[in-house]
Amino acid sequence: MKADVLIIGGGLHGLSAALQMARRGVSVIVAERHFAGRHASGATAAGVRTLGRDPVELSLSLEAAEDWHRLDDLVGDDCGFVACGQLQVAETEASLAVIAARIERLTAKGYTHERLIGPEEIRSLVPDIAPHCLGGAWVSTDGSADPHRAIRAFRDAGLKAGVQILEECLVTALERRSGNWQATTSRGPIEAKTIVNAAGAWSDQVALMAGDPLRHAIRTSMMVVTERAAARITPVVSSHGQKLSFKQTAQGTLLIGGGSQGKLAADRQSASVDVVALASSVKAAVRLFPSTGGVRIVRTWAGMEAMTDDHVPVIGFSHVVEGLVHAFGFSGHGFQLVPSVGRLLADLVCEGKTHHDLSAFDPRRVAIEKVAA
Ligand SMILES: Cc1cc2nc3c(=O)[nH]c(=O)nc-3n(C[C@H](O)[C@H](O)[C@H](O)COP(=O)(O)OP(=O)(O)OC[C@H]3O[C@@H](n4cnc5c(N)ncnc54)[C@H](O)[C@@H]3O)c2cc1C
């Protein structure tokens, strides 16, 4: 098998990049060891959030926010995106001060997407919220989507554009020969000019195979789904300083996440739920919405993805080997970035450049030599 580009990893970032490249006339193979969306992209809470982003991600995140509002044009489906808003509440004076300072810094830099709101406005947005919330940050154009619809839409749009998606295709070795990559896979050899490393929690292994050893940790964020609840919660709600993100689906079930970590298996291939850690997220949710106290939990899970020390992704050309582009380490907030990162990767591969400043995403900051030094 032969293509211009081999993308390793059929999560949303791999699929999004493949779609954008194929639409520019590049031949693309996506190699996915399980099935498209099997890992972080299928386990995600699917919050579409510019709120509280690290400023270095804002250019990508604000571009992606525009994409989410017209995703139908990109993939022929709105992916269940609803602009229900994202609200970050402050439960203490200290949290309120941190939020207010952040919004002041954003405003000074000319950003207007986050707005500081008071307790009355919070109660008008979420009438069931506990009375101790002092204020918060509000982005009305943020929201959430349906991750499985998104996976299907990006996958189908890619196939339509000519992307070859090889599922149950584990890449086990990479070798550079006469200016091309030769990949050894469980479905046979693949030759490509360029490789995109979008392997999520296994990106360090792909980087090592390619001769550019990079380092990342693995996040194992957990989620809870409850039975249908009477609560009336329209926006996605998080609480500053707490591992809590909370939303109510259209069916009435509650989806609780926010970064509580599960247990990583010793072989780094799977993660399981840590009930004790999860209980703290659930308690935080009930503290914020007391009316949800008796609601029963129906399902829990833990997803896996790569996490960097600064929680900022690694995106860009390898500085060590030619024809290798990295895109991993989204550290628990990569879902929202899917449309813009896909475009960026296509810009890099097809034109060799991007209008985004990639200095904060430089792979050299996670190079193993650098960490060891
Ligand atoms: C529980 C949870 C909640 C989250 N909530 C949010 C949220 O609300 N908002 C937000 O913006 N983000 C959220 N995220 C983060 C977001 O889901 C991820 O950043 C995003 O899905 C990462 O996509 P990806 O394509 O990089 O990785 P993945 O979807 O993990 O895809 C990587 C793929 O690479 C494959 N692979 C690895 N090695 C190989 C190999 N050698 N050969 C072939 N294939 C290989 C894997 O099988 C995997 O399918 C959450 C994540 C989790 C886990």
Side-chain angles (χ1 to χ4, degrees):
M1 291 171 284
K2 203 169 171 176
D4 295 325
V5 183
L6 169 62
I7 297 180
I8 304 177
L12 276 167
H13 281 291
L15 295 173
S16 173
L19 168 66
Q20 295 277 359
M21 289 176 201
R23 288 212 174 131
R24 298 187 201 184
V26 171
S27 63
V28 188
I29 294 177
V30 175
E32 165 54 50
R33 68 186 300 185
H34 299 292
F35 52 86
R38 162 67 181 84
H39 279 289
S41 300
T44 181
V48 176
R49 171 177 69 78
T50 59
L51 185 151
R53 286 262 165 198
D54 189 312
V56 299
E57 289 182 351
L58 273 178
S59 148
L60 274 173
S61 183
L62 291 170
E63 185 179 304
E66 286 180 23
D67 289 319
W68 279 103
H69 283 262
R70 44 181 163 76
L71 214 54
D72 219 354
D73 298 344
L74 183 67
V75 291
D77 188 282
D78 66 11
C79 299
F81 171 68
V82 183
C84 54
Q86 288 244 359
L87 172 67
Q88 182 187 46
V89 298
E91 297 185 71
T92 63
E93 291 289 355
S95 283
L96 191 59
V98 173
I99 292 174
R102 180 181 78 222
I103 295 179
E104 210 174 300
R105 281 196 302 276
L106 286 174
T107 309
K109 286 184 179 158
Y111 293 112
T112 54
H113 57 289
E114 284 198 36
R115 193 161 65 77
L116 188 66
I117 62 172
E120 296 76 27
E121 195 167 351
I122 288 191
R123 259 169 281 291
S124 74
L125 291 166
V126 268
D128 292 344
I129 203 155
H132 69 273
C133 291
L134 301 170
W138 170 239
V139 180
S140 62
T141 47
D142 278 353
S144 69
D146 177 336
H148 301 107
R149 256 175 81 176
I151 292 162
R152 188 157 151 183
F154 275 91
R155 183 180 181 279
D156 289 355
L159 289 172
K160 213 166 148 188
V163 175
Q164 202 181 340
I165 299 174
L166 298 179
E167 295 182 315
E168 297 186 2
C169 180
L170 173 67
V171 177
T172 53
L174 296 169
E175 200 188 326
R176 199 133 170 91
R177 258 189 251 151
S178 337
N180 271 351
W181 286 102
Q182 306 289 333
T184 306
T185 85
S186 55
R187 291 187 60 177
I190 302 175
E191 187 181 326
K193 284 195 204 90
T194 305
I195 282 186
V196 176
N197 175 10
W202 299 272
S203 299
D204 53 353
Q205 294 176 3
V206 171
L208 187 63
M209 280 182 221
D212 182 13
L214 302 179
R215 171 186 165 276
H216 62 71
I218 297 182
R219 259 176 97 79
T220 55
S221 300
M222 297 184 287
M223 299 293 306
V224 169
V225 177
T226 72
E227 64 182 338
R228 289 176 188 190
R232 302 154 294 158
I233 303 159
T234 309
V236 181
V237 183
S238 58
S239 173
H240 180 267
Q242 303 288 322
K243 289 196 168 88
L244 175 67
S245 164
F246 192 91
K247 74 175 174 188
Q248 189 164 25
T249 66
Q251 295 75 32
T253 59
L254 304 172
L255 198 63
I256 305 169
S260 271
Q261 298 294 292
K263 295 175 187 161
L264 184 64
D267 64 1
R268 299 195 346 158
Q269 296 302 319
S270 61
S272 56
V273 167
D274 178 338
V275 181
V276 175
L278 197 60
S280 71
S281 288
V282 174
K283 274 187 198 145
V286 175
R287 191 178 61 241
L288 219 49
F289 292 100
S291 64
T292 63
V295 177
R296 286 175 299 182
I297 290 171
V298 171
R299 200 157 68 87
T300 61
W301 67 87
M304 296 170 67
E305 82 163 309
M307 177 174 74
T308 60
D309 290 344
D310 54 13
H311 292 202
V312 168
V314 175
I315 308 175
F317 284 111
S318 163
H319 292 273
V320 176
V321 272
E322 256 180 71
L324 174 65
V325 181
H326 297 290
F328 64 86
F330 293 95
S331 305
H333 43 261
F335 180 80
Q336 191 263 356
L337 301 175
V338 162
S340 59
V341 171
R343 189 179 304 112
L344 184 166
L345 292 172
D347 287 345
L348 287 183
V349 168
C350 303
E351 290 156 39
K353 60 182 176 29
T354 166
H355 64 276
H356 292 285
D357 176 3
L358 294 187
S359 48
F361 309 133
D362 195 320
R364 285 175 293 194
R365 74 192 208 283
V366 296
I368 285 189
E369 290 80 356
K370 186 177 170 193
V371 171

mmCIF file of all heavy atoms in Angstrom, residues 183-200:
data_model
loop_
_atom_site.group_PDB
_atom_site.id
_atom_site.type_symbol
_atom_site.label_atom_id
_atom_site.label_comp_id
_atom_site.label_asym_id
_atom_site.label_seq_id
_atom_site.Cartn_x
_atom_site.Cartn_y
_atom_site.Cartn_z
ATOM 1 N N ALA A 183 6.287 1.690 6.523
ATOM 2 C CA ALA A 183 5.657 1.304 7.797
ATOM 3 C C ALA A 183 5.353 -0.186 7.776
ATOM 4 O O ALA A 183 4.834 -0.706 6.782
ATOM 5 C CB ALA A 183 4.368 2.093 7.992
ATOM 6 N N THR A 184 5.695 -0.850 8.863
ATOM 7 C CA THR A 184 5.295 -2.245 9.029
ATOM 8 C C THR A 184 4.001 -2.227 9.828
ATOM 9 O O THR A 184 3.932 -1.598 10.893
ATOM 10 C CB THR A 184 6.367 -3.021 9.825
ATOM 11 O OG1 THR A 184 7.616 -2.826 9.157
ATOM 12 C CG2 THR A 184 6.042 -4.498 9.911
ATOM 13 N N THR A 185 2.973 -2.886 9.317
ATOM 14 C CA THR A 185 1.691 -2.878 10.032
ATOM 15 C C THR A 185 1.107 -4.290 10.047
ATOM 16 O O THR A 185 1.526 -5.156 9.266
ATOM 17 C CB THR A 185 0.650 -1.931 9.375
ATOM 18 O OG1 THR A 185 -0.014 -2.633 8.318
ATOM 19 C CG2 THR A 185 1.263 -0.657 8.835
ATOM 20 N N SER A 186 0.107 -4.475 10.910
ATOM 21 C CA SER A 186 -0.544 -5.788 10.995
ATOM 22 C C SER A 186 -1.349 -6.093 9.739
ATOM 23 O O SER A 186 -1.836 -7.204 9.569
ATOM 24 C CB SER A 186 -1.448 -5.826 12.234
ATOM 25 O OG SER A 186 -2.361 -4.754 12.179
ATOM 26 N N ARG A 187 -1.496 -5.106 8.860
ATOM 27 C CA ARG A 187 -2.208 -5.356 7.598
ATOM 28 C C ARG A 187 -1.288 -5.220 6.385
ATOM 29 O O ARG A 187 -1.748 -4.999 5.275
ATOM 30 C CB ARG A 187 -3.415 -4.416 7.488
ATOM 31 C CG ARG A 187 -4.495 -4.794 8.514
ATOM 32 C CD ARG A 187 -5.764 -4.022 8.343
ATOM 33 N NE ARG A 187 -6.393 -4.207 7.060
ATOM 34 C CZ ARG A 187 -7.562 -3.669 6.714
ATOM 35 N NH1 ARG A 187 -8.223 -2.944 7.594
ATOM 36 N NH2 ARG A 187 -8.066 -3.853 5.521
ATOM 37 N N GLY A 188 -0.004 -5.318 6.649
ATOM 38 C CA GLY A 188 0.954 -5.287 5.541
ATOM 39 C C GLY A 188 1.714 -3.978 5.489
ATOM 40 O O GLY A 188 1.386 -3.020 6.201
ATOM 41 N N PRO A 189 2.767 -3.914 4.638
ATOM 42 C CA PRO A 189 3.604 -2.709 4.585
ATOM 43 C C PRO A 189 2.884 -1.534 3.920
ATOM 44 O O PRO A 189 2.067 -1.723 3.016
ATOM 45 C CB PRO A 189 4.809 -3.154 3.750
ATOM 46 C CG PRO A 189 4.391 -4.386 3.033
ATOM 47 C CD PRO A 189 3.234 -4.988 3.750
ATOM 48 N N ILE A 190 3.204 -0.348 4.401
ATOM 49 C CA ILE A 190 2.642 0.879 3.798
ATOM 50 C C ILE A 190 3.814 1.822 3.529
ATOM 51 O O ILE A 190 4.660 2.037 4.403
ATOM 52 C CB ILE A 190 1.625 1.577 4.733
ATOM 53 C CG1 ILE A 190 0.473 0.632 5.080
ATOM 54 C CG2 ILE A 190 1.089 2.860 4.096
ATOM 55 C CD1 ILE A 190 -0.519 1.193 6.108
ATOM 56 N N GLU A 191 3.825 2.398 2.328
ATOM 57 C CA GLU A 191 4.865 3.374 1.996
ATOM 58 C C GLU A 191 4.226 4.761 1.909
ATOM 59 O O GLU A 191 3.134 4.892 1.360
ATOM 60 C CB GLU A 191 5.476 2.993 0.641
ATOM 61 C CG GLU A 191 6.670 3.841 0.267
ATOM 62 C CD GLU A 191 7.243 3.450 -1.102
ATOM 63 O OE1 GLU A 191 7.203 2.243 -1.464
ATOM 64 O OE2 GLU A 191 7.711 4.370 -1.804
ATOM 65 N N ALA A 192 4.882 5.750 2.495
ATOM 66 C CA ALA A 192 4.330 7.125 2.449
ATOM 67 C C ALA A 192 5.455 8.139 2.508
ATOM 68 O O ALA A 192 6.518 7.862 3.059
ATOM 69 C CB ALA A 192 3.373 7.333 3.616
ATOM 70 N N LYS A 193 5.187 9.318 1.924
ATOM 71 C CA LYS A 193 6.191 10.398 1.980
ATOM 72 C C LYS A 193 6.220 11.015 3.378
ATOM 73 O O LYS A 193 7.257 11.372 3.893
ATOM 74 C CB LYS A 193 5.808 11.507 0.976
ATOM 75 C CG LYS A 193 6.105 11.174 -0.457
ATOM 76 C CD LYS A 193 6.025 12.468 -1.292
ATOM 77 C CE LYS A 193 5.725 12.157 -2.745
ATOM 78 N NZ LYS A 193 4.312 12.116 -3.112
ATOM 79 N N THR A 194 5.020 11.184 3.940
ATOM 80 C CA THR A 194 4.912 11.890 5.224
ATOM 81 C C THR A 194 4.114 11.041 6.209
ATOM 82 O O THR A 194 3.142 10.388 5.820
ATOM 83 C CB THR A 194 4.169 13.238 5.018
ATOM 84 O OG1 THR A 194 4.852 13.974 4.009
ATOM 85 C CG2 THR A 194 4.118 14.056 6.300
ATOM 86 N N ILE A 195 4.530 11.130 7.476
ATOM 87 C CA ILE A 195 3.762 10.459 8.528
ATOM 88 C C ILE A 195 3.226 11.499 9.489
ATOM 89 O O ILE A 195 3.940 12.441 9.881
ATOM 90 C CB ILE A 195 4.646 9.421 9.246
ATOM 91 C CG1 ILE A 195 4.734 8.205 8.336
ATOM 92 C CG2 ILE A 195 4.085 9.051 10.621
ATOM 93 C CD1 ILE A 195 5.414 7.029 8.882
ATOM 94 N N VAL A 196 1.952 11.342 9.868
ATOM 95 C CA VAL A 196 1.377 12.183 10.917
ATOM 96 C C VAL A 196 1.159 11.288 12.132
ATOM 97 O O VAL A 196 0.477 10.263 12.046
ATOM 98 C CB VAL A 196 0.045 12.828 10.469
ATOM 99 C CG1 VAL A 196 -0.578 13.615 11.619
ATOM 100 C CG2 VAL A 196 0.266 13.740 9.265
ATOM 101 N N ASN A 197 1.761 11.701 13.229
ATOM 102 C CA ASN A 197 1.644 10.951 14.483
ATOM 103 C C ASN A 197 0.461 11.503 15.277
ATOM 104 O O ASN A 197 0.576 12.499 15.978
ATOM 105 C CB ASN A 197 2.951 11.083 15.276
ATOM 106 C CG ASN A 197 2.874 10.434 16.656
ATOM 107 O OD1 ASN A 197 1.924 9.719 16.969
ATOM 108 N ND2 ASN A 197 3.875 10.698 17.481
ATOM 109 N N ALA A 198 -0.703 10.847 15.115
ATOM 110 C CA ALA A 198 -1.923 11.266 15.832
ATOM 111 C C ALA A 198 -2.389 10.083 16.667
ATOM 112 O O ALA A 198 -3.573 9.726 16.674
ATOM 113 C CB ALA A 198 -2.998 11.700 14.836
ATOM 114 N N ALA A 199 -1.440 9.463 17.368
ATOM 115 C CA ALA A 199 -1.700 8.187 18.037
ATOM 116 C C ALA A 199 -2.138 8.344 19.482
ATOM 117 O O ALA A 199 -2.071 7.382 20.260
ATOM 118 C CB ALA A 199 -0.473 7.294 17.922
ATOM 119 N N GLY A 200 -2.593 9.521 19.879
ATOM 120 C CA GLY A 200 -3.157 9.716 21.212
ATOM 121 C C GLY A 200 -2.213 9.247 22.303
ATOM 122 O O GLY A 200 -1.036 9.623 22.348
#
